[in-house]
Short mmCIF file of all heavy atoms in Angstrom, two decimals:
data_model
loop_
_atom_site.label_atom_id
_atom_site.label_comp_id
_atom_site.label_asym_id
_atom_site.label_seq_id
_atom_site.Cartn_x
_atom_site.Cartn_y
_atom_site.Cartn_z
N VAL A 1 42.93 -21.74 -22.66
CA VAL A 1 42.98 -23.12 -22.20
C VAL A 1 41.83 -23.91 -22.83
O VAL A 1 40.68 -23.46 -22.80
CB VAL A 1 42.86 -23.21 -20.66
CG1 VAL A 1 42.77 -24.66 -20.20
CG2 VAL A 1 44.05 -22.52 -20.00
N GLN A 2 42.18 -25.05 -23.39
CA GLN A 2 41.15 -25.93 -23.94
C GLN A 2 41.39 -27.36 -23.47
O GLN A 2 42.51 -27.85 -23.51
CB GLN A 2 41.17 -25.89 -25.47
CG GLN A 2 40.62 -24.59 -26.06
CD GLN A 2 40.46 -24.68 -27.56
OE1 GLN A 2 41.26 -25.28 -28.25
NE2 GLN A 2 39.39 -24.08 -28.07
N LEU A 3 40.31 -28.00 -23.04
CA LEU A 3 40.35 -29.40 -22.63
C LEU A 3 39.51 -30.21 -23.59
O LEU A 3 38.44 -29.77 -24.00
CB LEU A 3 39.82 -29.57 -21.20
CG LEU A 3 40.52 -28.78 -20.10
CD1 LEU A 3 39.80 -28.98 -18.78
CD2 LEU A 3 41.97 -29.20 -19.99
N GLN A 4 39.99 -31.41 -23.89
CA GLN A 4 39.27 -32.27 -24.82
C GLN A 4 39.17 -33.66 -24.20
O GLN A 4 40.18 -34.32 -24.00
CB GLN A 4 40.02 -32.35 -26.15
CG GLN A 4 39.38 -33.25 -27.19
CD GLN A 4 38.30 -32.53 -27.98
OE1 GLN A 4 38.28 -31.30 -28.05
NE2 GLN A 4 37.40 -33.29 -28.56
N ALA A 5 37.93 -34.08 -23.93
CA ALA A 5 37.71 -35.43 -23.39
C ALA A 5 37.32 -36.37 -24.51
O ALA A 5 36.59 -35.98 -25.43
CB ALA A 5 36.61 -35.40 -22.34
N SER A 6 37.80 -37.60 -24.43
CA SER A 6 37.47 -38.60 -25.44
C SER A 6 37.52 -39.99 -24.82
O SER A 6 37.99 -40.16 -23.70
CB SER A 6 38.44 -38.51 -26.62
OG SER A 6 39.77 -38.76 -26.17
N GLY A 7 37.03 -40.97 -25.59
CA GLY A 7 37.14 -42.36 -25.17
C GLY A 7 35.85 -42.99 -24.70
O GLY A 7 35.83 -44.17 -24.35
N GLY A 8 34.77 -42.23 -24.66
CA GLY A 8 33.51 -42.80 -24.23
C GLY A 8 32.97 -43.81 -25.23
O GLY A 8 33.48 -43.96 -26.34
N GLY A 9 31.89 -44.48 -24.83
CA GLY A 9 31.27 -45.45 -25.72
C GLY A 9 30.19 -46.22 -25.01
O GLY A 9 29.81 -45.91 -23.88
N LEU A 10 29.69 -47.23 -25.73
CA LEU A 10 28.64 -48.12 -25.22
C LEU A 10 29.27 -49.47 -24.90
O LEU A 10 29.85 -50.10 -25.79
CB LEU A 10 27.53 -48.27 -26.26
CG LEU A 10 26.47 -49.34 -25.98
CD1 LEU A 10 25.70 -49.01 -24.72
CD2 LEU A 10 25.53 -49.46 -27.18
N VAL A 11 29.16 -49.89 -23.64
CA VAL A 11 29.73 -51.17 -23.22
C VAL A 11 28.73 -51.90 -22.35
O VAL A 11 27.77 -51.31 -21.85
CB VAL A 11 31.06 -50.99 -22.45
CG1 VAL A 11 32.12 -50.35 -23.34
CG2 VAL A 11 30.84 -50.18 -21.18
N GLN A 12 29.00 -53.18 -22.13
CA GLN A 12 28.17 -53.97 -21.24
C GLN A 12 28.70 -53.87 -19.81
O GLN A 12 29.88 -53.58 -19.59
CB GLN A 12 28.15 -55.43 -21.68
CG GLN A 12 27.39 -55.65 -22.98
CD GLN A 12 27.21 -57.12 -23.29
OE1 GLN A 12 28.06 -57.94 -22.95
NE2 GLN A 12 26.11 -57.47 -23.96
N ALA A 13 27.83 -54.15 -18.88
CA ALA A 13 28.24 -54.16 -17.47
C ALA A 13 29.41 -55.12 -17.27
O ALA A 13 29.43 -56.21 -17.86
CB ALA A 13 27.07 -54.56 -16.59
N GLY A 14 30.38 -54.68 -16.48
CA GLY A 14 31.57 -55.48 -16.23
C GLY A 14 32.73 -55.16 -17.13
O GLY A 14 33.87 -55.59 -16.86
N ALA A 15 32.48 -54.42 -18.19
CA ALA A 15 33.53 -54.08 -19.15
C ALA A 15 34.38 -52.92 -18.63
O ALA A 15 34.12 -52.35 -17.56
CB ALA A 15 32.91 -53.75 -20.49
N SER A 16 35.38 -52.57 -19.43
CA SER A 16 36.29 -51.47 -19.09
C SER A 16 36.32 -50.44 -20.22
O SER A 16 36.07 -50.77 -21.39
CB SER A 16 37.71 -52.00 -18.87
OG SER A 16 37.76 -52.89 -17.78
N LEU A 17 36.62 -49.22 -19.85
CA LEU A 17 36.86 -48.14 -20.80
C LEU A 17 37.96 -47.26 -20.25
O LEU A 17 38.13 -47.16 -19.03
CB LEU A 17 35.61 -47.28 -21.00
CG LEU A 17 34.52 -47.70 -21.97
CD1 LEU A 17 33.35 -46.71 -21.90
CD2 LEU A 17 35.05 -47.79 -23.40
N ARG A 18 38.68 -46.60 -21.15
CA ARG A 18 39.65 -45.62 -20.71
C ARG A 18 39.33 -44.28 -21.36
O ARG A 18 39.31 -44.18 -22.60
CB ARG A 18 41.08 -46.01 -21.05
CG ARG A 18 42.11 -45.07 -20.40
CD ARG A 18 43.54 -45.47 -20.69
NE ARG A 18 43.98 -45.07 -22.01
CZ ARG A 18 45.25 -44.95 -22.36
NH1 ARG A 18 46.20 -45.20 -21.48
NH2 ARG A 18 45.58 -44.61 -23.60
N LEU A 19 39.06 -43.29 -20.55
CA LEU A 19 38.83 -41.94 -21.03
C LEU A 19 40.14 -41.17 -21.04
O LEU A 19 41.01 -41.40 -20.19
CB LEU A 19 37.82 -41.22 -20.15
CG LEU A 19 36.46 -41.90 -19.94
CD1 LEU A 19 35.55 -41.00 -19.12
CD2 LEU A 19 35.82 -42.27 -21.26
N SER A 20 40.25 -40.26 -21.99
CA SER A 20 41.43 -39.42 -22.10
C SER A 20 41.02 -37.96 -22.06
O SER A 20 39.97 -37.59 -22.57
CB SER A 20 42.17 -39.70 -23.41
OG SER A 20 42.59 -41.04 -23.49
N CYS A 21 41.88 -37.16 -21.45
CA CYS A 21 41.67 -35.71 -21.41
C CYS A 21 42.97 -35.04 -21.85
O CYS A 21 44.00 -35.20 -21.19
CB CYS A 21 41.29 -35.26 -20.02
SG CYS A 21 41.05 -33.48 -19.85
N SER A 22 42.91 -34.34 -22.96
CA SER A 22 44.08 -33.61 -23.43
C SER A 22 43.86 -32.13 -23.21
O SER A 22 42.72 -31.66 -23.16
CB SER A 22 44.32 -33.89 -24.92
OG SER A 22 43.24 -33.42 -25.68
N ALA A 23 44.96 -31.41 -23.09
CA ALA A 23 44.85 -29.99 -22.81
C ALA A 23 45.83 -29.18 -23.62
O ALA A 23 46.93 -29.66 -23.95
CB ALA A 23 45.09 -29.72 -21.34
N SER A 24 45.43 -27.99 -23.96
CA SER A 24 46.34 -27.02 -24.54
C SER A 24 46.25 -25.74 -23.72
O SER A 24 45.20 -25.41 -23.18
CB SER A 24 45.96 -26.74 -26.00
OG SER A 24 44.65 -26.25 -26.08
N GLY A 25 47.37 -25.09 -23.58
CA GLY A 25 47.37 -23.83 -22.85
C GLY A 25 47.69 -23.94 -21.38
O GLY A 25 47.64 -22.93 -20.66
N LEU A 26 47.98 -25.14 -20.92
CA LEU A 26 48.37 -25.30 -19.53
C LEU A 26 49.25 -26.54 -19.39
O LEU A 26 49.27 -27.39 -20.26
CB LEU A 26 47.15 -25.41 -18.60
CG LEU A 26 46.16 -26.56 -18.83
CD1 LEU A 26 46.63 -27.85 -18.17
CD2 LEU A 26 44.79 -26.18 -18.28
N SER A 27 49.95 -26.59 -18.26
CA SER A 27 50.76 -27.76 -17.95
C SER A 27 50.04 -28.58 -16.90
O SER A 27 49.79 -28.11 -15.79
CB SER A 27 52.14 -27.33 -17.43
OG SER A 27 52.83 -28.45 -16.92
N PHE A 28 49.69 -29.82 -17.24
CA PHE A 28 48.94 -30.65 -16.31
C PHE A 28 49.63 -30.81 -14.98
O PHE A 28 49.00 -30.96 -13.96
CB PHE A 28 48.70 -32.03 -16.93
CG PHE A 28 47.43 -32.12 -17.71
CD1 PHE A 28 47.18 -33.22 -18.52
CD2 PHE A 28 46.47 -31.13 -17.66
CE1 PHE A 28 46.02 -33.32 -19.26
CE2 PHE A 28 45.30 -31.21 -18.39
CZ PHE A 28 45.07 -32.31 -19.19
N ARG A 29 50.96 -30.77 -15.01
CA ARG A 29 51.70 -31.00 -13.77
C ARG A 29 51.38 -29.93 -12.72
O ARG A 29 51.41 -30.19 -11.53
CB ARG A 29 53.20 -31.03 -14.05
CG ARG A 29 54.03 -31.23 -12.80
CD ARG A 29 55.49 -31.45 -13.11
NE ARG A 29 56.27 -31.53 -11.88
CZ ARG A 29 56.35 -32.62 -11.12
NH1 ARG A 29 55.71 -33.72 -11.46
NH2 ARG A 29 57.07 -32.60 -10.01
N GLU A 30 51.06 -28.74 -13.19
CA GLU A 30 50.83 -27.61 -12.28
C GLU A 30 49.36 -27.37 -11.99
O GLU A 30 49.01 -26.37 -11.34
CB GLU A 30 51.47 -26.36 -12.86
CG GLU A 30 52.95 -26.51 -13.18
CD GLU A 30 53.77 -26.96 -12.00
OE1 GLU A 30 53.44 -26.55 -10.86
OE2 GLU A 30 54.72 -27.73 -12.19
N TYR A 31 48.50 -28.23 -12.47
CA TYR A 31 47.07 -28.05 -12.30
C TYR A 31 46.44 -29.25 -11.58
O TYR A 31 46.97 -30.36 -11.63
CB TYR A 31 46.39 -27.88 -13.66
CG TYR A 31 46.42 -26.47 -14.18
CD1 TYR A 31 47.62 -25.88 -14.56
CD2 TYR A 31 45.25 -25.72 -14.29
CE1 TYR A 31 47.65 -24.58 -15.03
CE2 TYR A 31 45.28 -24.42 -14.76
CZ TYR A 31 46.49 -23.86 -15.12
OH TYR A 31 46.50 -22.58 -15.58
N THR A 32 45.34 -29.00 -10.95
CA THR A 32 44.47 -30.07 -10.48
C THR A 32 43.54 -30.44 -11.63
O THR A 32 42.83 -29.58 -12.15
CB THR A 32 43.64 -29.65 -9.26
OG1 THR A 32 44.52 -29.22 -8.22
CG2 THR A 32 42.76 -30.79 -8.77
N ILE A 33 43.57 -31.70 -12.01
CA ILE A 33 42.74 -32.18 -13.11
C ILE A 33 41.73 -33.16 -12.54
O ILE A 33 42.10 -34.05 -11.77
CB ILE A 33 43.57 -32.88 -14.20
CG1 ILE A 33 44.76 -32.02 -14.62
CG2 ILE A 33 42.69 -33.25 -15.39
CD1 ILE A 33 44.38 -30.70 -15.23
N ALA A 34 40.49 -33.00 -12.91
CA ALA A 34 39.43 -33.84 -12.35
C ALA A 34 38.53 -34.37 -13.44
O ALA A 34 38.44 -33.82 -14.54
CB ALA A 34 38.62 -33.05 -11.35
N TRP A 35 37.88 -35.46 -13.11
CA TRP A 35 36.79 -35.99 -13.92
C TRP A 35 35.49 -35.86 -13.11
O TRP A 35 35.45 -36.20 -11.93
CB TRP A 35 37.02 -37.46 -14.26
CG TRP A 35 38.08 -37.69 -15.29
CD1 TRP A 35 39.39 -38.00 -15.05
CD2 TRP A 35 37.93 -37.62 -16.70
NE1 TRP A 35 40.07 -38.13 -16.24
CE2 TRP A 35 39.19 -37.91 -17.28
CE3 TRP A 35 36.85 -37.37 -17.56
CZ2 TRP A 35 39.39 -37.94 -18.66
CZ3 TRP A 35 37.06 -37.40 -18.93
CH2 TRP A 35 38.32 -37.68 -19.46
N PHE A 36 34.48 -35.35 -13.79
CA PHE A 36 33.13 -35.31 -13.25
C PHE A 36 32.23 -36.07 -14.22
O PHE A 36 32.59 -36.32 -15.37
CB PHE A 36 32.63 -33.86 -13.13
CG PHE A 36 33.21 -33.11 -11.97
CD1 PHE A 36 34.51 -32.61 -12.03
CD2 PHE A 36 32.47 -32.89 -10.83
CE1 PHE A 36 35.05 -31.92 -10.95
CE2 PHE A 36 32.99 -32.19 -9.75
CZ PHE A 36 34.29 -31.71 -9.81
N ARG A 37 31.04 -36.39 -13.77
CA ARG A 37 30.06 -37.00 -14.65
C ARG A 37 28.68 -36.46 -14.32
O ARG A 37 28.42 -36.01 -13.21
CB ARG A 37 30.08 -38.53 -14.53
CG ARG A 37 29.66 -39.08 -13.17
CD ARG A 37 29.89 -40.57 -13.12
NE ARG A 37 29.45 -41.15 -11.85
CZ ARG A 37 29.66 -42.41 -11.50
NH1 ARG A 37 30.31 -43.25 -12.32
NH2 ARG A 37 29.23 -42.85 -10.33
N GLN A 38 27.83 -36.51 -15.33
CA GLN A 38 26.46 -36.02 -15.16
C GLN A 38 25.51 -36.93 -15.91
O GLN A 38 25.60 -37.05 -17.14
CB GLN A 38 26.32 -34.58 -15.64
CG GLN A 38 25.01 -33.95 -15.27
CD GLN A 38 25.04 -32.44 -15.42
OE1 GLN A 38 25.90 -31.87 -16.10
NE2 GLN A 38 24.10 -31.77 -14.77
N ALA A 39 24.63 -37.53 -15.17
CA ALA A 39 23.58 -38.37 -15.76
C ALA A 39 22.34 -37.50 -15.99
O ALA A 39 22.17 -36.47 -15.32
CB ALA A 39 23.26 -39.53 -14.82
N PRO A 40 21.46 -37.90 -16.90
CA PRO A 40 20.25 -37.12 -17.18
C PRO A 40 19.44 -36.88 -15.91
O PRO A 40 19.17 -37.81 -15.15
CB PRO A 40 19.50 -38.00 -18.17
CG PRO A 40 20.55 -38.82 -18.83
CD PRO A 40 21.57 -39.08 -17.78
N GLY A 41 19.09 -35.63 -15.68
CA GLY A 41 18.26 -35.28 -14.55
C GLY A 41 18.99 -35.22 -13.22
O GLY A 41 18.36 -35.01 -12.18
N LYS A 42 20.31 -35.41 -13.25
CA LYS A 42 21.09 -35.39 -12.01
C LYS A 42 22.13 -34.27 -12.04
O LYS A 42 22.49 -33.76 -13.09
CB LYS A 42 21.76 -36.74 -11.79
CG LYS A 42 20.79 -37.88 -11.55
CD LYS A 42 21.51 -39.14 -11.15
CE LYS A 42 20.54 -40.26 -10.81
NZ LYS A 42 21.25 -41.50 -10.38
N GLU A 43 22.62 -33.94 -10.86
CA GLU A 43 23.66 -32.92 -10.76
C GLU A 43 25.00 -33.51 -11.19
O GLU A 43 25.21 -34.72 -11.18
CB GLU A 43 23.75 -32.41 -9.32
CG GLU A 43 22.53 -31.63 -8.87
CD GLU A 43 22.71 -31.01 -7.50
OE1 GLU A 43 23.72 -31.31 -6.84
OE2 GLU A 43 21.84 -30.23 -7.08
N ARG A 44 25.89 -32.62 -11.56
CA ARG A 44 27.24 -33.04 -11.93
C ARG A 44 27.94 -33.60 -10.68
O ARG A 44 27.92 -32.99 -9.62
CB ARG A 44 28.02 -31.86 -12.50
CG ARG A 44 29.28 -32.26 -13.23
CD ARG A 44 29.78 -31.15 -14.13
NE ARG A 44 28.85 -30.93 -15.25
CZ ARG A 44 29.14 -30.18 -16.31
NH1 ARG A 44 30.32 -29.60 -16.39
NH2 ARG A 44 28.26 -30.01 -17.27
N GLU A 45 28.56 -34.76 -10.86
CA GLU A 45 29.10 -35.52 -9.74
C GLU A 45 30.61 -35.70 -9.89
O GLU A 45 31.09 -36.07 -10.96
CB GLU A 45 28.42 -36.89 -9.70
CG GLU A 45 28.95 -37.87 -8.69
CD GLU A 45 28.42 -39.28 -8.89
OE1 GLU A 45 27.95 -39.59 -10.00
OE2 GLU A 45 28.50 -40.08 -7.95
N PHE A 46 31.34 -35.48 -8.82
CA PHE A 46 32.79 -35.69 -8.81
C PHE A 46 33.10 -37.17 -8.97
O PHE A 46 32.44 -38.02 -8.35
CB PHE A 46 33.37 -35.18 -7.50
CG PHE A 46 34.82 -35.52 -7.29
CD1 PHE A 46 35.81 -34.77 -7.91
CD2 PHE A 46 35.19 -36.57 -6.48
CE1 PHE A 46 37.15 -35.08 -7.72
CE2 PHE A 46 36.52 -36.89 -6.28
CZ PHE A 46 37.50 -36.13 -6.91
N VAL A 47 34.11 -37.48 -9.77
CA VAL A 47 34.54 -38.86 -9.96
C VAL A 47 35.96 -39.06 -9.40
O VAL A 47 36.18 -39.91 -8.55
CB VAL A 47 34.51 -39.25 -11.44
CG1 VAL A 47 35.06 -40.67 -11.64
CG2 VAL A 47 33.10 -39.14 -12.00
N ALA A 48 36.91 -38.29 -9.89
CA ALA A 48 38.30 -38.45 -9.47
C ALA A 48 39.08 -37.18 -9.82
O ALA A 48 38.66 -36.41 -10.68
CB ALA A 48 38.94 -39.65 -10.16
N ALA A 49 40.21 -37.01 -9.13
CA ALA A 49 41.08 -35.87 -9.42
C ALA A 49 42.53 -36.27 -9.17
O ALA A 49 42.81 -37.21 -8.43
CB ALA A 49 40.71 -34.67 -8.55
N ILE A 50 43.42 -35.52 -9.81
CA ILE A 50 44.83 -35.78 -9.66
C ILE A 50 45.59 -34.47 -9.61
O ILE A 50 45.22 -33.51 -10.29
CB ILE A 50 45.35 -36.68 -10.83
CG1 ILE A 50 46.79 -37.11 -10.59
CG2 ILE A 50 45.20 -35.96 -12.17
CD1 ILE A 50 47.24 -38.21 -11.56
N ARG A 51 46.61 -34.45 -8.77
CA ARG A 51 47.52 -33.32 -8.71
C ARG A 51 48.91 -33.91 -8.89
O ARG A 51 49.50 -34.47 -7.96
CB ARG A 51 47.43 -32.59 -7.38
CG ARG A 51 48.30 -31.32 -7.31
CD ARG A 51 47.64 -30.15 -8.01
NE ARG A 51 48.47 -28.95 -7.96
CZ ARG A 51 48.05 -27.74 -8.26
NH1 ARG A 51 46.78 -27.55 -8.65
NH2 ARG A 51 48.85 -26.70 -8.20
N ARG A 52 49.42 -33.80 -10.12
CA ARG A 52 50.65 -34.51 -10.47
C ARG A 52 51.85 -34.02 -9.69
O ARG A 52 52.74 -34.78 -9.36
CB ARG A 52 50.92 -34.36 -11.96
CG ARG A 52 49.92 -35.07 -12.85
CD ARG A 52 50.19 -36.55 -12.89
NE ARG A 52 51.38 -36.87 -13.66
CZ ARG A 52 51.91 -38.07 -13.75
NH1 ARG A 52 51.38 -39.07 -13.09
NH2 ARG A 52 53.00 -38.28 -14.47
N SER A 53 51.88 -32.72 -9.38
CA SER A 53 53.07 -32.15 -8.74
C SER A 53 53.32 -32.75 -7.37
O SER A 53 54.46 -32.75 -6.89
CB SER A 53 52.93 -30.64 -8.64
OG SER A 53 51.79 -30.30 -7.88
N ILE A 54 52.28 -33.29 -6.72
CA ILE A 54 52.46 -33.90 -5.41
C ILE A 54 52.02 -35.37 -5.44
O ILE A 54 51.91 -36.01 -4.40
CB ILE A 54 51.68 -33.15 -4.31
CG1 ILE A 54 50.19 -33.03 -4.65
CG2 ILE A 54 52.29 -31.78 -4.08
CD1 ILE A 54 49.35 -32.42 -3.55
N SER A 55 51.77 -35.88 -6.65
CA SER A 55 51.43 -37.30 -6.84
C SER A 55 50.24 -37.73 -6.00
O SER A 55 50.23 -38.84 -5.45
CB SER A 55 52.65 -38.19 -6.52
OG SER A 55 53.74 -37.86 -7.35
N ASN A 56 49.26 -36.87 -5.88
CA ASN A 56 48.06 -37.21 -5.11
C ASN A 56 46.88 -37.47 -6.02
O ASN A 56 46.70 -36.78 -7.03
CB ASN A 56 47.71 -36.07 -4.14
CG ASN A 56 48.53 -36.15 -2.87
OD1 ASN A 56 49.51 -36.86 -2.79
ND2 ASN A 56 48.11 -35.40 -1.87
N THR A 57 46.08 -38.44 -5.65
CA THR A 57 44.84 -38.72 -6.35
C THR A 57 43.69 -38.76 -5.35
O THR A 57 43.88 -39.03 -4.17
CB THR A 57 44.91 -40.07 -7.09
OG1 THR A 57 45.24 -41.10 -6.16
CG2 THR A 57 45.96 -40.03 -8.19
N TYR A 58 42.51 -38.48 -5.88
CA TYR A 58 41.32 -38.40 -5.05
C TYR A 58 40.19 -39.09 -5.81
O TYR A 58 40.07 -38.93 -7.02
CB TYR A 58 40.95 -36.93 -4.78
CG TYR A 58 42.12 -36.10 -4.30
CD1 TYR A 58 43.00 -35.52 -5.20
CD2 TYR A 58 42.36 -35.92 -2.94
CE1 TYR A 58 44.08 -34.77 -4.77
CE2 TYR A 58 43.44 -35.17 -2.50
CZ TYR A 58 44.30 -34.61 -3.42
OH TYR A 58 45.37 -33.87 -2.99
N TYR A 59 39.34 -39.80 -5.08
CA TYR A 59 38.25 -40.55 -5.71
C TYR A 59 36.96 -40.38 -4.93
O TYR A 59 36.96 -40.20 -3.72
CB TYR A 59 38.59 -42.04 -5.77
CG TYR A 59 39.77 -42.37 -6.65
CD1 TYR A 59 41.04 -42.50 -6.12
CD2 TYR A 59 39.60 -42.55 -8.02
CE1 TYR A 59 42.12 -42.80 -6.92
CE2 TYR A 59 40.69 -42.85 -8.84
CZ TYR A 59 41.94 -42.97 -8.27
OH TYR A 59 43.01 -43.26 -9.08
#
Side-chain angles (χ1 to χ4, degrees):
V1 175
Q2 287 189 323
L3 302 176
Q4 179 84 22
S6 61
L10 170 62
V11 298
Q12 290 188 328
S16 298
L17 276 176
R18 189 178 78 160
L19 305 184
S20 300
C21 179
S22 63
S24 59
L26 59 83
S27 170
F28 270 169
R29 178 172 175 80
E30 305 305 325
Y31 276 67
T32 303
I33 310 297
W35 286 96
F36 284 77
R37 65 187 182 187
Q38 190 165 18
K42 294 188 176 181
E43 293 186 352
R44 195 162 293 192
E45 174 191 20
F46 172 80
V47 176
I50 187 168
R51 185 79 180 193
R52 292 283 288 173
S53 60
I54 56 174
S55 301
N56 277 14
T57 56
Y58 310 85
Y59 295 95

